[in-house]
Amino acid sequence: MEKNNTIKFLILICLLIVACLLSLFFGGSERINLSELSSNNFIFWHIRFPKTITAIIAGCTLSVSGLILQIIFRNPLAGPFVLGISSGASLMVAISILAGSALHLFSVFFIGKAFIVLSAITGSLLITFLILGISKKVNSNVVLLLIGLMLSQICGAVQTALEYFSDANSLKSFVIWGMGSLANTTNFDLLIYLPIALISLLALLFFVKPLNALLLGENYAQNVGINFKSSRFYLILISSVLTGLTTAFCGPIAFIGTAVPILSRMVFKSSKQHLHVTSCLLIGSIILLLSDAIANSAISNISLPINMITTFIGAPLVIYLMFKNKTW
Amino acid sequence: MDKKECIVLKDAALGYKKPNAAISILKNINLAFYPGDFVGVVGLNGVGKSTLLKSLCGLLPVLEGNILIDQQPINDLLLNELAKKIAIVLTEKIGGFNLTAYDAVAAGQMPYTNSFNRLKKENLAIIDLAIKTCGITQHQHKLLNELSDGLFQKTIIAKALAQQTPIMLLDEPSAFLDYASKHDLFILLKKLAEEENKCILVSSHDLDLLLKYCSKLLLISQNSFELISISEAKNNKTFIEIGGGFI
């Protein structure tokens, strides 16, 4: 068992390296040859490199966030996108872009970014607690997902309404951003993005035991000495920061948070969550890197939206699981 | 009697807390249980047996009065200390997320592991022993949601055993078991009470089993509590009423 898992992890690490190279060298309209790679290759260092790193961070944060949500709601189909949490973050970003341009916040770069990140995190926190409240009233996993989708529609509708009141500049910036993209993050953005992501993921280390205990449900978790109320609060906080952060930089990215933990449980037939956290980091990065490479090289000279690719991967998985009606 | 009480209820009112009101289901309870007691909790459906058991391990709040576990108020105990004193077997079903029977039993050792839940040799030995004692060795690697109801019940009982607590609470553990397993379970519980001096409370509708194996009975009816020794049961009016005249 243990040996098998080591082999699986080694394979995943190899795949990650391959996916990184694919994204770095084929992830754009122009292919880069190794011979052209010097320290002043602008495309490589200022476009490809931040995009690849963004793909890795986004893959890690969204999949781990999805894993946490699936366990908290004990719903194997949950995820930040299907529960409307990404949309909540988007809505708050839309509001903050509008308010920000009115208040001229964006003239100072750092404050503008920090403001957007904070509002995205606030948006995802609000929706997560709303969903948590609703989940106590409904017993069915599928009904909860439907409610999540409705919340996401509502957030979308409010966002559309806001777009009518915005000036051309901010309209353009959040329509493009709303389609989801890994390419809008600059090297300078990474200085904010990467540290917050790392700190949140490290904070999760302290909650791996509660994560394992919560699999048994609230009552048994408490009976084996886990304070499920406080650990659930911190887990939701971590998950919301992860989702909000990535939504702030990349826009709402579909299905990664749902699909990756499901894949992880298919690959590793274990219930140990430290193992799944690690494998979600790897599988999430691999899938988003590959999606990026596919999006940029499937049709020459056209870069497809990343959400199209991730939906093609994630949605069938969810349908498949519903058909099997098996709780992974 | 020289033994010290391990559970004491003082004027306790038990039930649920809602945001704007407390709904008490059981009121004015004054009871004491001792190590080595094997108590059958008897009462009609909906009388509050599960409420009592859940409150005794802190899953439901104490609305009035107090519950003392080993002379300490239950609310003063840290969750992790409480987890080392009381294990509970509930009627709810759990499973999914690749959880196997072994994983569920292993969770019983959680109060004793570090914050990364690393299982040491001695933890593993205790888990294996609990699995063997409950007779689920061949099924330990099956997924929880693929187990039959009876095997699932045995798994959760093994989890409670692995928790190594002086007090065990079991809510209708015999409900899904086959005839032989019911007796096996009660024989095991009786042995644990007698040999390891555990205090065991078990709610059940299998009155004949309770009469055969328990040392005491707790009769719950509309807001009255009677703790009687097993020899008094046949002449007790409440017990005969609960038995519907068939016992």
Side-chain angles (χ1 to χ4, degrees), chain B residues 10-206:
Chain B
K10 272 189 193 163
D11 303 318
L14 309 173
Y16 299 83
K17 245 183 201 157
K18 293 242 165 143
N20 40 14
I23 300 163
S24 58
I25 294 173
L26 302 165
K27 282 177 202 156
N28 301 322
I29 318 172
N30 284 294
L31 291 166
F33 300 101
Y34 297 85
D37 278 357
F38 181 18
V39 186
V41 181
V42 192
L44 299 176
N45 288 331
V47 83
K49 300 188 293 293
S50 301
T51 308
L52 174 70
L53 296 180
K54 280 184 179 172
S55 307
L56 288 179
C57 67
L59 293 180
L60 289 175
V62 185
L63 302 175
E64 278 167 42
N66 219 335
I67 295 179
L68 304 177
I69 306 292
D70 285 344
Q71 335 294 329
Q72 278 173 288
I74 192 166
N75 293 331
D76 293 357
L77 285 165
L78 292 175
L79 279 176
N80 206 49
E81 293 172 24
L82 196 60
K84 291 176 185 173
K85 290 183 189 292
I86 305 181
I88 192 164
V89 173
L90 298 160
T91 47
E92 66 186 44
K93 268 271 188 182
I94 53 168
F97 293 95
N98 290 345
L99 273 174
T100 62
Y102 184 91
D103 296 329
V105 181
Q109 276 287 305
M110 267 190 188
Y112 304 92
T113 60
N114 66 7
S115 55
F116 296 102
N117 199 28
R118 204 185 165 76
L119 294 167
K120 293 184 195 145
K121 234 183 201 159
E122 59 261 35
N123 304 121
L124 295 172
I126 290 160
I127 295 165
D128 284 337
L129 182 65
I131 286 175
K132 213 191 267 173
T133 311
C134 293
I136 49 166
T137 312
Q138 303 138 297
H139 309 285
Q140 58 178 312
H141 296 302
K142 288 188 184 161
L143 291 174
L144 271 186
N145 45 13
E146 288 174 358
L147 291 177
S148 71
D149 288 334
L151 283 172
F152 176 82
Q153 195 71 268
K154 288 182 188 174
T155 306
I156 301 300
I157 293 164
K159 177 232 134 223
L161 268 185
Q163 223 170 313
Q164 291 188 298
T165 51
I167 303 169
M168 286 173 76
L169 311 171
L170 299 94
D171 194 5
E172 300 193 26
S174 55
F176 292 109
L177 298 181
D178 55 52
Y179 186 76
S181 297
K182 278 184 188 186
H183 283 269
D184 284 342
L185 170 66
F186 273 84
I187 290 168
L188 170 67
L189 293 175
K190 188 178 180 185
K191 204 173 114 188
L192 289 169
E194 284 173 358
E195 291 176 9
E196 297 183 27
N197 214 20
K198 288 182 195 260
C199 170
I200 300 177
L201 269 66
V202 51
S203 80
S204 175
H205 295 295
D206 289 318

Side-chain angles (χ1 to χ4, degrees), chain A residues 12-288:
Chain A
L12 285 179
I13 291 171
C14 292
L15 279 174
L16 176 64
I17 296 169
V18 173
C20 269
L21 294 175
L22 281 176
S23 154
L24 277 175
F25 291 99
F26 295 95
S29 51
E30 217 154 302
R31 286 189 190 166
I32 297 174
N33 293 322
L34 266 182
S35 55
E36 301 164 345
L37 195 59
S38 62
S39 57
N40 52 10
N41 186 324
F42 183 83
I43 295 185
F44 187 85
W45 291 109
H46 289 273
I47 297 177
R48 294 291 169 81
F49 176 75
K51 191 169 64 139
T52 299
I53 300 291
T54 303
I56 293 175
I57 308 176
C60 291
T61 49
L62 291 175
S63 6
V64 169
S65 173
L67 180 72
I68 296 174
L69 292 171
Q70 293 184 354
I71 291 173
I72 283 181
F73 292 108
R74 282 213 283 158
N75 184 338
L77 301 173
F81 189 77
V82 289
L83 289 181
I85 297 167
S86 299
S87 313
S90 304
L91 176 59
M92 283 303 284
V93 171
I95 293 172
S96 75
I97 287 180
L98 267 184
S101 57
L103 298 168
H104 302 289
L105 269 178
F106 296 105
S107 46
V108 191
F109 167 79
F110 189 81
I111 295 180
K113 273 287 172 201
F115 184 57
I116 288 182
V117 169
L118 270 181
S119 35
I121 291 172
T122 314
S124 49
L125 262 180
L126 285 177
I127 297 284
T128 315
F129 279 112
L130 183 61
I131 288 272
L132 184 67
I134 293 171
S135 76
K136 288 185 180 147
K137 310 266 177 204
V138 295
N139 282 324
S140 151
N141 282 348
V142 178
V143 171
L144 192 70
L145 292 189
L146 284 175
I147 293 174
L149 287 177
M150 292 304 122
L151 283 178
S152 146
Q153 294 297 317
I154 294 170
C155 290
V158 177
Q159 204 173 319
T160 313
L162 283 177
E163 283 164 10
Y164 274 97
F165 300 103
S166 56
D167 59 82
N169 263 341
S170 24
L171 179 66
K172 193 183 164 205
S173 70
F174 69 61
V175 167
I176 291 175
W177 169 89
M179 294 196 293
S181 168
L182 303 171
N184 298 333
T185 321
T186 62
N187 277 329
F188 201 74
D189 289 337
L190 288 180
L191 293 179
I192 309 174
Y193 193 8
L194 185 62
I196 303 182
L198 272 181
I199 290 170
S200 321
L201 289 171
L202 283 175
L204 185 62
L205 275 181
F206 297 98
F207 294 97
V208 172
K209 188 174 178 178
L211 217 47
N212 274 315
L214 280 170
L215 287 179
L216 307 172
E218 294 169 7
N219 285 334
Y220 283 123
Q222 187 167 334
N223 186 235
V224 294
I226 303 295
N227 187 341
F228 84 89
K229 271 187 188 155
S230 85
S231 17
R232 187 175 63 188
F233 174 80
Y234 288 112
L235 283 168
I236 284 179
L237 192 64
I238 292 174
S239 154
S240 301
V241 170
L242 291 173
T243 301
L245 184 68
T246 291
T247 310
F249 285 102
C250 309
I253 292 191
F255 287 109
I256 290 290
T258 304
V260 173
I262 294 174
L263 284 172
S264 170
R265 283 192 290 272
M266 287 166 119
V267 174
F268 296 94
K269 303 250 178 264
S270 164
S271 72
K272 294 201 176 82
Q273 295 309 314
H274 60 270
L275 195 144
H276 286 301
V277 171
T278 322
S279 81
C280 276
L281 295 177
L282 290 169
I283 298 177
S285 313
I286 293 168
I287 289 192
L288 214 46

